[in-house]
Amino acid sequence: MTMANVETLNLKSKLPSVGTTIFTVMSKLAADLGAINLSQGFPDFDCDPALVDAVARHMREGRNQYAPMQGVPPLRQALAAKFEELYDATYHPDTEITVTSGGTEAIFDVVAAIVHPGDEVIVFEPCYDSYVPAVEVNGGKAIVVSLRYPDYAVPWDDVRAAVTPRTRLIMLNSPHNPTATILRPSDMTALAQVVEGTDIVILSDEVYEHIIFDGVPHESMARYEALRERSFVIGSFGKTYHVTGWKVGYVAAPAAMTAEFRKVHQFVTFSTNTPIQYALAEFVAERRGYPELAGFYQRKRDLFLQLIEGSRWKPLPSRGTYFQLLDYSAITREDDMSFAIRLTKDYGVASIPTSAFLYKQTAPSVLRFCFAKKDETLQAAAERLRPL
């Protein structure tokens, strides 16, 4: 086929409104301009060298072929033990835990397994950018409920009003990206009331579960039997062990739901990197890395806030994740995308505009900054931000 013929093909997009993700756009802009990148959510420091050594050891020991589709047994067993210890939740490692190629694959697979054409899926804006495309490409309809600015509380009356006989799935994220808010026990009670007596399934994106501040416990769906029995709980090792590029995540769900999930997973990635799974299994089984993670990032949050204290930036509370929203309304009246671009070009600091996560609301005057960075990176960025 000639190039001319290819160009005249009538390709009908299944995602006509989707372009390049804001994370790629802002990270590329930062790289092109040599700006400090506080936009995309990844650390600029290394993981524990012992974890890298463990991966290399498993490679040398020959664990380099396909892993089982559901994940290697030691990792699934370690995850089951962690759920039992942290949330008093029992998941069978063989039938209720699946290792995936990152949290994004897990999210897509859940939606593909559960959502049928015409089904409605409740999502909350600001909404992580993969949720709605996953719904739409699988024939579903996203029903957007707006979190209430500035505290980004869940408006449960609006959620109840959004539920119809076609509601198939509710997608939740706590700790929440980009707002850095968390679900509280009252939210779990309200959610249980919403789904009681229905066939609604819950997708709970909990990839930042170990990054919650000020001594507050994580409200996992796994803690609550009435919610656990209808929930896909999604986790990520990338966030926990500072290895976002390894793209390893997992899903815990009741056996019947897991069976449907695996029908999709086996044809998306089939299995996930084998030696990395074995290395992670050792760390999870030994409780390495995650118990101290909240304190580690809380210190970075506090450092970043201290460094910009006294400036015209107004921080919104960061309860979890490694993100900080800053209100810039005292600096400029520009829309958030325009200001984010100008901030990158003129001041050398890249951020993320929250408009990229919105579908109904007008974006407030806030930008998202990632503080999962070396102290010197945060100091250098603050020196550029503080004078504005």
Side-chain angles (χ1 to χ4, degrees):
M1 181 177 290
T2 67
M3 182 59 69
N5 289 335
V6 171
E7 291 174 350
T8 58
L9 288 176
N10 182 21
L11 299 178
K12 186 177 180 181
S13 175
K14 297 184 75 174
L15 295 171
S17 63
V18 171
T20 305
T21 72
I22 189 64
F23 309 110
T24 300
V25 170
M26 295 308 296
S27 285
K28 183 180 186 302
L29 185 63
D32 290 347
L33 298 173
I36 297 171
N37 190 357
L38 301 190
S39 61
Q40 196 167 359
F42 58 81
D44 69 346
F45 48 83
D46 292 330
C47 68
D48 186 339
L51 183 57
V52 176
D53 292 343
V55 174
R57 171 166 42 84
H58 286 292
M59 286 180 172
R60 287 193 297 269
E61 291 174 357
R63 298 181 180 93
N64 298 303
Q65 308 309 322
Y66 291 124
M69 176 269 289
Q70 62 270 40
V72 302
L75 182 52
R76 288 184 282 111
Q77 291 159 7
L79 286 168
K82 191 184 83 161
F83 273 107
E84 186 75 44
E85 177 188 0
L86 296 183
Y87 309 126
D88 195 26
T90 300
Y91 289 101
H92 196 288
D94 291 339
T95 58
E96 297 184 317
I97 294 178
T98 309
V99 180
T100 63
S101 297
T104 303
E105 189 228 329
I107 290 165
F108 183 88
D109 291 355
V110 168
V111 176
I114 295 300
V115 175
H116 296 258
D119 284 350
E120 295 176 352
V121 178
I122 294 176
V123 300
F124 298 89
E125 68 170 0
C127 179
Y128 185 68
D129 70 343
S130 78
Y131 293 0
V132 171
V135 171
E136 292 179 345
V137 82
N138 284 291
K141 180 181 180 182
I143 306 299
V144 179
V145 174
S146 301
L147 300 178
R148 288 177 178 156
Y149 180 81
D151 59 355
Y152 294 106
V154 179
W156 288 109
D157 288 345
D158 293 353
V159 177
R160 281 184 279 271
V163 172
T164 75
R166 301 193 71 88
T167 304
R168 179 61 171 160
L169 182 67
I170 297 177
M171 301 178 75
L172 289 152
N173 175 209
S174 180
H176 186 264
N177 179 14
T179 68
T181 55
I182 58 175
L183 293 176
R184 303 286 190 165
S186 59
D187 293 305
M188 311 305 276
T189 299
L191 176 61
Q193 292 170 348
V194 167
V195 299
E196 184 178 9
T198 74
D199 291 325
I200 295 172
V201 175
I202 297 167
L203 185 159
S204 187
D205 179 352
E206 303 182 15
V207 299
Y208 297 98
E209 64 176 317
H210 299 301
I211 312 176
I212 295 184
F213 308 131
D214 308 310
V216 178
H218 172 51
E219 294 297 332
S220 174
M221 296 299 153
R223 285 189 187 277
Y224 301 86
E225 184 176 0
L227 297 174
R228 183 171 67 244
E229 65 187 10
R230 64 172 75 229
S231 292
F232 291 95
V233 177
I234 294 173
S236 167
F237 298 107
K239 308 299 188 296
T240 302
Y241 290 108
H242 317 309
V243 287
T244 60
W246 291 6
K247 294 295 294 178
V248 183
Y250 56 90
V251 179
M257 293 166 60
T258 294
E260 293 304 310
F261 175 87
R262 288 177 177 176
K263 289 178 183 179
V264 176
H265 165 67
Q266 68 184 339
F267 296 119
V268 175
T269 61
F270 179 70
S271 65
T272 296
N273 189 295
T274 303
I276 287 177
Q277 286 194 59
Y278 279 102
L280 289 168
E282 295 176 10
F283 269 59
V284 176
E286 296 169 8
R287 301 186 77 253
R288 296 177 66 177
Y290 62 85
E292 64 270 25
L293 195 62
F296 173 82
Y297 276 122
Q298 181 170 327
R299 190 191 67 78
K300 288 193 174 291
R301 177 201 67 175
D302 294 347
L303 173 64
F304 184 52
L305 293 178
Q306 177 187 342
L307 289 167
I308 63 167
E309 190 174 359
S311 71
R312 292 193 292 173
W313 296 93
K314 179 184 176 183
L316 277 64
S318 176
R319 310 294 188 193
T321 73
Y322 41 54
F323 302 117
Q324 175 67 58
L325 291 186
L326 296 181
D327 181 324
Y328 64 81
S329 58
I331 299 172
T332 178
R333 293 187 177 181
E334 292 169 271
D335 67 83
D336 64 342
M337 188 67 189
S338 297
F339 185 47
I341 292 173
R342 186 166 71 88
L343 188 66
T344 309
K345 291 181 176 179
D346 295 352
Y347 296 92
V349 179
S351 60
I352 294 290
T354 62
S355 55
F357 303 85
L358 297 175
Y359 294 85
K360 292 166 55 180
Q361 286 181 317
T362 300
S365 298
V366 295
L367 297 176
R368 192 200 78 174
F369 295 84
C370 175
F371 54 79
K373 308 296 176 182
K374 298 173 184 174
D375 289 0
E376 52 265 40
T377 304
L378 297 177
Q379 289 163 356
E383 288 175 3
R384 301 179 184 188
L385 294 172
R386 200 166 43 240
L388 271 70

